[in-house]
Amino acid sequence: MKASDNHSSAISSNKGLFAFLRHPSEDVTRDNSPLSLLRTVLWYFSTRLILVVGMAILITLDLSPSTDSDRHIPVWGIVLFLPIVEELAFRFPLRRKRWILTVWAGIVSYLLLSMALNTKVYETSYLPERLIGCAAVTVGIWFQGWKWLRSIKFSWYFYLLAIAFGFAHLSNSFTGNGTTAGTTAFFLLYSIYQISGGLILGYARIRHGFLLCILLHILTNLPTAL
């Protein structure tokens, strides 16, 4: 098993994005050389562009559902808050160190409790309850939970976070009734757009570090805020 893991790590380290996605490994050596960074950035934005063009064609032909997502979110929330929170939730825990998993669990539990109680994260409503729940989860992860998370096969763990990232975005507020071939095609492209983005950002997290994920996510959201 260890030899297989080392083989997967070597493949991912030597052959880049596609080899990594075939055999995800958390033991890949970080590479922040300009050429390696450029390759990742180009893969990320080229896939974004191709899928956005496809969705834009459907929108132009009036074959997409209407949406009111992000309408009530301020510019700073779209450009800074959402990218940071989403990267903390879906990419930060890909490096499964004890302290990282503990911090991640605390943040995510606080966000989920806020959502469950229909409360904004910065409001004081139900604050004691949220903090107590967050503290309980954090303590549980620090003492035992991180070992369980570490025991999960990394490829499953990696793909699950990427898919969860994609499906989290499918909750965006699309409006309109009925399903047509056009709306089905749009949702398919949108799902591929989000999940592929999650996969490439996950690769960037392992290969280049957490800050690049945040930067790429900010640049992705920036046009929406303009």
Side-chain angles (χ1 to χ4, degrees), residues 31-43 203 207-208 212:
D31 181 2
N32 284 328
S33 64
L35 183 58
S36 181
L37 287 168
L38 179 62
R39 285 197 192 103
T40 300
V41 170
L42 288 176
W43 272 119
Y203 168 76
R207 187 65 183 246
H208 307 296
L212 181 64

Side-chain angles (χ1 to χ4, degrees), residues 4-22:
S4 175
D5 291 342
N6 289 338
H7 176 64
S8 295
S9 177
I11 291 176
S12 301
S13 179
N14 293 333
K15 294 189 178 180
L17 176 63
F18 287 117
F20 176 87
L21 294 180
R22 287 196 300 271

Side-chain angles (χ1 to χ4, degrees), residues 60-91:
T60 302
L61 297 175
D62 199 23
L63 295 174
S64 67
S66 57
T67 177
D68 60 0
S69 63
D70 299 336
R71 179 177 295 176
H72 305 296
I73 302 176
V75 171
W76 66 267
I78 296 173
V79 176
L80 288 176
F81 180 74
L82 287 178
I84 292 172
V85 168
E86 290 178 6
E87 292 309 309
L88 283 170
F90 297 105
R91 251 71 65 184

Side-chain angles (χ1 to χ4, degrees), residues 2-197:
K2 187 174 181 180
S4 175
D5 291 342
N6 289 338
H7 176 64
S8 295
S9 177
I11 291 176
S12 301
S13 179
N14 293 333
K15 294 189 178 180
L17 176 63
F18 287 117
F20 176 87
L21 294 180
R22 287 196 300 271
H23 304 283
S25 171
E26 58 192 318
D27 299 320
V28 174
T29 303
R30 182 175 295 187
D31 181 2
N32 284 328
S33 64
L35 183 58
S36 181
L37 287 168
L38 179 62
R39 285 197 192 103
T40 300
V41 170
L42 288 176
W43 272 119
Y44 179 75
F45 284 112
S46 62
T47 57
R48 307 291 85 198
L49 180 60
I50 292 170
L51 292 166
V52 164
V53 168
M55 289 186 286
I57 291 172
L58 293 175
I59 292 171
T60 302
L61 297 175
D62 199 23
L63 295 174
S64 67
S66 57
T67 177
D68 60 0
S69 63
D70 299 336
R71 179 177 295 176
H72 305 296
I73 302 176
V75 171
W76 66 267
I78 296 173
V79 176
L80 288 176
F81 180 74
L82 287 178
I84 292 172
V85 168
E86 290 178 6
E87 292 309 309
L88 283 170
F90 297 105
R91 251 71 65 184
F92 187 60
L94 286 173
R95 287 288 187 185
R96 295 186 292 181
K97 296 181 180 179
R98 185 181 189 182
W99 75 267
I100 288 177
L101 293 174
T102 302
V103 171
W104 168 75
I107 293 170
V108 170
S109 62
Y110 183 82
L111 293 173
L112 291 176
L113 285 170
S114 298
M115 292 172 59
L117 295 170
N118 197 25
T119 305
K120 292 183 173 61
V121 294
Y122 53 80
E123 291 180 343
T124 58
S125 302
Y126 302 106
L127 184 59
E129 292 84 352
R130 285 184 286 162
L131 291 177
I132 290 172
C134 173
V137 172
T138 301
V139 170
I141 294 296
W142 174 258
F143 284 105
Q144 289 296 331
W146 72 279
K147 296 178 183 178
W148 177 78
L149 290 170
R150 285 280 301 174
S151 70
I152 300 172
K153 186 176 180 181
F154 183 75
S155 58
W156 298 354
Y157 182 80
F158 177 84
Y159 294 137
L160 179 60
L161 284 173
I163 293 170
F165 173 74
F167 277 96
H169 286 80
L170 291 180
S171 64
N172 286 347
S173 303
F174 292 104
T175 59
N177 297 320
T179 299
T180 66
T183 58
T184 300
F186 184 89
F187 277 118
L188 178 60
L189 285 176
Y190 188 74
S191 301
I192 295 172
Y193 176 86
Q194 296 296 352
I195 294 174
S196 64

